[in-house]
Amino acid sequence: MPYSNPQLGQYLTVRFSPDRWLFSLVFGLLTLLSASAQRTQSYSEPDYHYRNGQELFEKHNYAAARYEFRQYLEPRRGDGTRTLLNTSDQNAVEAEYYIALTSLYIDEPGAEVLVDRFVKNHSQHPKASQLYGDLGTYYYTRQDYSKAINFLEKAVAQGGANATFKYQLALSYYNTQDLQRALPLLNDVKRDANSPDAPAASYYAGIINFRNKNFNEAVTDFRRIESNPTYKDQVPNWIAQALYRQRRFDDLLAYTEPLLRRTGGAGLSEVALFTAEVYYQQNQFAKAIPYYKQYINAAGAKAPGAVKFRYGQSLFRTGAYPEAITQLKTLAGGKDTTAQYAAYTLGVSYLQTQNPAYALNAFDQAGRLAFNRDIQEEARFNHAKLLLDQNNGADAVKELTAFLKQYPNSKFENEANELVGEAYFASNNYPAAIAYIEGLKRRTPKINATYQRLTYNQGVSDFNAERYPQAVANLDKSLKFPVDPELQQGAQFWKAEAYSAGKQYDTAIPLYASIAKSTGSYGGKSLYGLGYAYYNKKDYARAQTYFRDFVGRGTGAGDPAQVQDATIRLADSYFATKQYENAMRYYDQAIAQNAPDKDYASYQKAVILSYVGRDAEAKAQFDQVQRQYPNSRFVDEALFQTANVDFEKGAYQVAIRGFSKLIDGKPNSTLVPAALLKRAIAYGNIQQYDPAVADYKRILADYGDSDQAQSALLGIQNTLNDAGRPEEFSQVLGQYKKSNPASTDVEKVQFENAKDIYANQKYQQAIQSLLAFMQEYPASPNTNEARYYLAESYRQTDDVANALRYYNLIIADNKSDFLIRAATRAADLEIKQKNYPRAIRNYQVILAKANGKADQVTAQLGMMDTYFVIPKLDSAAAIAREVLVAGNVVPGAQNRAQLMLGKVALNKGDYKTAQADFEKTIALAKDINGAEAQYYLGDLLYRQKKYKESVASLLKFNEQFSEFEYWKGKAFILVADNNVAQDEMAQAKAVLNSIIENSSDEAIIAEAKQKLASLESKN
């Protein structure tokens, strides 16, 4: 066959079976012995064995023949086999010849020794040269061509050999790739009309001439045997290819088309291929199609991709788009030139068949390949246009702007610029749009107006996302093109807001002031901003001015909530400057407006009344706060201040009842220590020393770390002295030191030293120091902090049990600042110990106690992952959705949650949903979650036996996620699995070897080695 040589060996094996060459040998022997036939018939009885041996040899019964010949020779050897035969005894010599030959045929040990002995002893005998040829034939049939050459060269050199030996020598040269020596011998044999090997010699001579690019000689050789039954199916392929190589297209068509019509094309697929290729090159696509079809049907999956492409291209050129799609779609997923052309043509074909979604993918594939830049350019442009047609404005903007940057002088430049304008209306992707305009060489007024709005919108978006520096940068861009005055004012205002949010009030104030006098909406808003800027600077006098102007404008200055808030801030400003009447007036106004903070306004009004000595009104106002706003955070304050009014005017019994109401009714209030202190003083002032001492002791015992503790210590000392019991103070002081060691310098130094040891990562020493501290100061307020560092030290030394013990003590206490951190650490350790229910409980503690959104989301992520492992897939998915709603308060949280939704769907076998979720994850960010999603996307396709699609997906790792070594390694191991599934073992091994050689991840290397060893063991 023209494309491969394995069939040559096939013909060699068939042509030279042992029966065939033995037949030739026997035929030769019979010819040599014919002259002595009459003499043989007259032999006496001893010749009986010789005659039997000949007959058995002719019947291929070699073992029996060998026995007969040995029986014949036995009486003639004198004292045995060591006696030389008389060379004049021709039958005896020939018997020895047959013994050596039959010994070879039956693989008798020592046969070659017999042959060598015969040639040495009878070198002048005709059978000696014959035996060289026979021995060469023997090795030739066993395909030991090197040994065959050694003997056949001698046979041919002595001239006593027949043409068969010469042919066998030629084929031995051929099979050892010594074509230069094979060709002359084949030429001799092919010209011998009487040689049965002439056709085969002509065939192999033709192959050698073809390989040597002597195409005319090759055609002559093949034409010589084109009618031979053995070669008639092979010769046309060689002739067609030789003519094609010489570009003798007319001669090729003149030869092939009649042949294909005459035979129906059976067995002539390659002839059909060359015929198709000629018509393709001549742009006669309709004529090429039937011949391509004939070849493709015969070759099946083994047909080269380039041939499939030209077949598909021919169908495409003749308008047979569905048929073209069938041929081209198997090629378009590749990574070579053929794949690029196929993908582009496939895209156009899909458009012609009204399938834009598939066309989009095809153009995308063609645009990703850079083998032909013209095709790549057109594919990318068509891909961008289709995105816009599919109402995907955001991606269309991105594609078109990228296109214009990559092809600044494209023939599609004008059309692309027009489409970009259309895409902006369908897109909210402000950064891409801004980048496009900034990259333009020429900008019209209309484009500048668009740029002003885009940068303004992006600046406001940055502000809302608390990206204040970026907001300022984009708003500055907008201010450079003041096409729209309203947008100009808006940009100035939001720029001031960004600076104010960043506490850069001195920078924000002039920006607010520049638009505060304008009549537009931003003028009023700027007054509000100015008021807050000065208020935050504690410049209350100036804050009053702007808040008053803002409030004076009413709802025309801003929304009602801002007006109500400004009213309260104006009152606060008056309060801070001790303008109490003005403050109360605006607090009353806020209450009348039903402001959200009216409880605060009511409370502040009561405070002012107490300040100005209107005690009865103050108490009534405090009572009103408690009645009207029972759930307000100011109820505790109102209770305390009510009692304090009585305390300040010396009504101690009434004050005691008021403080008791707070202490007993609000035991968890932060004001309890202050109320206890005031009540203790009140008791002391009316000489009720025992309850006074009890309150002081309660402060020292329960609130030893509060601001009131030192005052309580002094108070109890004075009270005991007043009561005439000073000796009790020593006991109180000792108890205080025991329960509140923070009051001693020794305890503080000891604890700080233990923390320093921990900070220096000397964990074993830190454990000893922290244990000693906790033993010496069991009631220290630093106990939970010490427990946390002790647990961390145990964790660092892999003592999981003790680490969990102290984390859990912190969690059980349920009130330490270290609670969230301890629960988080404990959850991590429980997961590693596979104690999943305990991990869940710890995450629930975090969710219940966390004040910040970030801590809550972090706990949700941990709980989500734990539910997935248990597995409780629905629970994992539910939490993932909650994380998505919460926003990206923790970097990467949304990506991780989106990934989890995909993994849940994948585990449930919902491949469609899983694929959508993985693709969303990849689109969110090119982080480790995106890398994992890309891997699972390939895994999903692999599970569905979509091997080619899986490989195409996984190969994106090199472009998008190459820095994530573990997932990249997993991806390419899966590529190898895909190769195995497609029976591409060599490719799979190559991929695995590449991983082993190039990966830096030991786990990945180990997995790749294991898979490679498994593949090797199957061979």
Side-chain angles (χ1 to χ4, degrees), residues 765-1009:
Q765 296 93 318
I767 289 169
Q768 299 305 316
S769 182
L770 289 163
L771 286 172
F773 170 80
M774 292 169 61
Q775 184 176 2
E776 187 170 352
Y777 302 100
S780 170
N782 297 314
T783 295
N784 277 322
E785 186 176 359
R787 286 170 175 168
Y788 180 76
Y789 292 128
L790 182 58
E792 285 287 276
S793 298
Y794 278 126
R795 183 180 65 84
Q796 293 287 358
T797 54
D798 296 324
D799 189 343
V800 175
N802 273 318
L804 284 171
R805 174 189 172 192
Y806 286 101
Y807 287 136
N808 288 332
L809 285 173
I810 299 170
I811 296 167
D813 189 62
N814 200 32
K815 61 183 179 182
S816 167
D817 291 341
F818 291 86
L819 173 62
I820 301 300
R821 281 178 278 183
T824 302
R825 290 292 199 200
D828 291 342
L829 289 180
E830 297 289 12
I831 289 171
K832 290 178 182 178
Q833 300 295 306
K834 298 184 179 180
N835 296 324
Y836 302 122
R838 294 179 185 175
I840 294 294
R841 285 199 296 272
N842 284 321
Y843 286 128
Q844 289 170 339
V845 168
I846 299 170
L847 288 174
K849 294 294 182 179
N851 292 321
K853 196 69 176 175
D855 286 338
Q856 291 178 349
V857 171
T858 300
Q860 286 177 317
L861 290 171
M863 190 180 295
M864 173 187 77
D865 290 340
T866 307
Y867 276 133
F868 181 75
V869 173
I870 289 177
K872 290 186 177 180
L873 299 182
D874 291 337
S875 297
I879 296 177
R881 294 187 187 95
E882 291 179 13
V883 173
L884 287 173
V885 172
N888 212 26
V889 294
V890 173
Q894 288 194 304
N895 311 39
R896 191 166 154 191
Q898 191 67 62
L899 172 65
M900 178 55 68
L901 290 176
K903 289 163 68 175
V904 168
L906 180 63
N907 275 266
K908 288 184 173 183
D910 185 354
Y911 295 139
K912 183 178 179 180
T913 301
Q915 182 168 349
D917 285 323
F918 289 141
E919 288 172 349
K920 288 179 183 177
T921 307
I922 294 165
L924 279 171
K926 298 299 181 283
D927 61 2
I928 192 168
N929 299 297
E932 188 174 352
Q934 189 73 60
Y935 168 78
Y936 279 118
L937 189 58
D939 183 41
L940 179 151
L941 294 166
Y942 173 77
R943 295 187 191 194
Q944 298 177 83
K945 299 184 179 181
K946 297 178 180 180
Y947 303 122
K948 291 183 179 179
E949 295 90 337
S950 176
V951 170
S953 176
L954 294 166
L955 289 178
K956 292 180 181 178
F957 258 86
N958 279 333
E959 301 172 15
Q960 300 179 339
F961 303 106
S962 59
E963 68 270 31
F964 301 106
E965 192 66 34
Y966 175 79
W967 287 110
K968 177 182 176 183
K970 291 289 290 182
F972 280 90
I973 288 174
L974 187 52
V975 168
D977 290 340
N978 276 284
N979 290 331
V980 171
Q982 297 176 86
D983 201 28
E984 297 176 359
M985 297 300 178
Q987 183 67 17
K989 291 177 184 178
V991 171
L992 292 171
N993 277 316
S994 178
I995 295 169
I996 294 166
E997 293 169 5
N998 299 305
S999 178
S1000 60
D1001 190 292
E1002 293 300 326
I1004 291 298
I1005 293 172
E1007 185 176 353
K1009 285 182 176 179

Side-chain angles (χ1 to χ4, degrees), residues 657-679:
R657 288 196 295 271
F659 288 128
S660 297
K661 185 177 181 181
L662 171 62
I663 294 165
D664 298 335
K666 303 285 186 179
N668 295 320
S669 173
T670 58
L671 295 174
V672 168
L676 285 168
L677 182 63
K678 289 276 189 178
R679 189 172 73 172

Side-chain angles (χ1 to χ4, degrees), residues 642-652 655 659 678 681-682 685:
T642 300
N644 197 53
V645 168
D646 293 317
F647 178 88
E648 292 294 334
K649 65 181 184 179
Y652 298 121
F659 288 128
K678 289 276 189 178
I681 295 171
N685 287 338

Side-chain angles (χ1 to χ4, degrees), residues 441-452:
K441 297 176 182 177
R442 296 177 300 276
R443 289 164 63 163
T444 65
K446 184 177 180 180
I447 290 177
N448 283 335
T450 302
Y451 184 73
Q452 181 194 19

Side-chain angles (χ1 to χ4, degrees), residues 348-365:
V348 178
S349 298
Y350 279 130
L351 286 179
Q352 294 293 336
T353 55
Q354 307 302 312
N355 194 340
Y358 279 30
L360 189 70
N361 293 332
F363 285 131
D364 180 56
Q365 173 66 10

Side-chain angles (χ1 to χ4, degrees), residues 536-558:
N536 289 326
K537 288 184 67 179
K538 302 186 186 307
D539 188 346
Y540 300 114
R542 290 189 179 182
Q544 291 168 18
T545 301
Y546 294 108
F547 281 134
R548 187 171 55 244
D549 288 349
F550 180 75
V551 171
R553 293 191 183 190
T555 55

